[in-house]
Amino acid sequence: CLCGTPDGGSRNCAEALEVCAVDSTRLEDVFRHAVVEEPRKWGVDADQDMGLRFSICIGARYWVGRQLLSPRFPISAIDDGLCAWRRLKEARSVVYLGPTNRYSILQRHTPLELQAAWRQLRKVYLDICVMAGKDREKVAASLLDLEASHASVRDRRMARWQRLTSRKHSRRCVSKKTNK
């Protein structure tokens, strides 16, 4: 498919999505165009004829060891799905969104900041699942299971963070004493 660009030109959808990944409004417009308008140009209904659905994948590896996947949204509910995407993106953006590994996330955020971010992300994720017709208790139980199975990994990372933080603090104290 060809998607319009701000300068009036066109490019394929993958390139257009890459270009506007930073601009949420533009990304939504390109996505909507790709899944609603393009099929319509060919006389096809993306929802009825193709059964097209989409879901939102949100990073949660630090907290549960994997990404979370939202319920699927039919194209007929594209506005609900895009609203869910915006809400999840906002909740997740409290924590650094760039590339991290199992250690670097704790170089950017304290464990308390990460806990607060998880509480918010978890709440929004549960709300979205309920909005999509899922049972809140079942989804909450599933999240608790994921959290529990990943707890030992989080605990090890926390212990490492505490050791490193303690060493940095000790070095600063020694340095201050030596400079006096």
Side-chain angles (χ1 to χ4, degrees):
C1 78
L2 292 178
C3 297
T5 60
D7 61 2
S10 62
R11 66 179 78 220
N12 73 40
C13 285
E15 289 173 356
L17 286 170
E18 198 173 297
V19 166
C20 51
V22 179
D23 180 1
S24 295
T25 305
R26 178 79 177 122
L27 180 62
E28 288 183 34
D29 291 343
V30 170
F31 180 75
R32 186 182 304 275
H33 179 81
V35 299
V36 176
E37 301 304 322
E38 279 299 315
R40 190 177 293 150
K41 285 181 185 177
W42 296 93
V44 176
D45 183 284
D47 196 20
Q48 299 283 324
D49 300 330
M50 299 170 68
L52 196 57
R53 307 276 185 268
F54 69 99
S55 59
I56 299 119
C57 186
I58 195 81
R61 284 190 177 105
Y62 174 80
W63 303 287
V64 295
R66 66 181 185 90
Q67 296 176 326
L68 296 176
L69 195 61
S70 76
R72 292 186 195 132
F73 292 92
I75 297 307
S76 60
I78 193 168
D79 291 328
D80 291 340
L82 290 174
C83 177
W85 173 72
R86 283 190 301 274
R87 290 181 62 205
L88 285 166
K89 181 177 177 248
E90 181 181 328
R92 178 59 178 81
S93 68
V94 172
V95 175
Y96 179 71
L97 293 172
T100 60
N101 63 33
R102 59 187 173 199
Y103 303 117
S104 62
I105 191 78
L106 284 164
Q107 292 173 347
R108 294 180 176 275
H109 302 282
T110 67
L112 288 177
E113 291 172 331
L114 291 168
Q115 283 177 335
W118 172 242
R119 280 193 302 273
Q120 180 62 23
L121 180 59
R122 187 180 194 284
K123 179 190 177 310
V124 170
Y125 181 77
L126 281 169
D127 290 347
I128 286 167
C129 289
V130 169
M131 179 188 79
K134 302 292 182 190
D135 180 272
R136 179 179 289 278
E137 301 307 316
K138 287 182 181 177
V139 175
S142 175
L143 286 176
L144 283 174
D145 288 345
L146 288 171
E147 288 175 53
S149 66
H150 196 64
S152 64
V153 174
R154 267 192 329 278
D155 291 346
R156 282 193 309 272
R157 289 178 186 162
M158 172 84 81
R160 182 179 189 274
W161 179 83
Q162 288 171 333
R163 282 191 312 274
L164 293 173
T165 303
S166 177
R167 283 183 200 151
K168 284 179 187 175
H169 180 71
S170 295
R171 280 188 229 135
R172 281 190 213 130
C173 289
V174 169
S175 169
K176 285 180 182 178
K177 287 179 184 178
T178 333
N179 291 335
K180 285 185 177 180

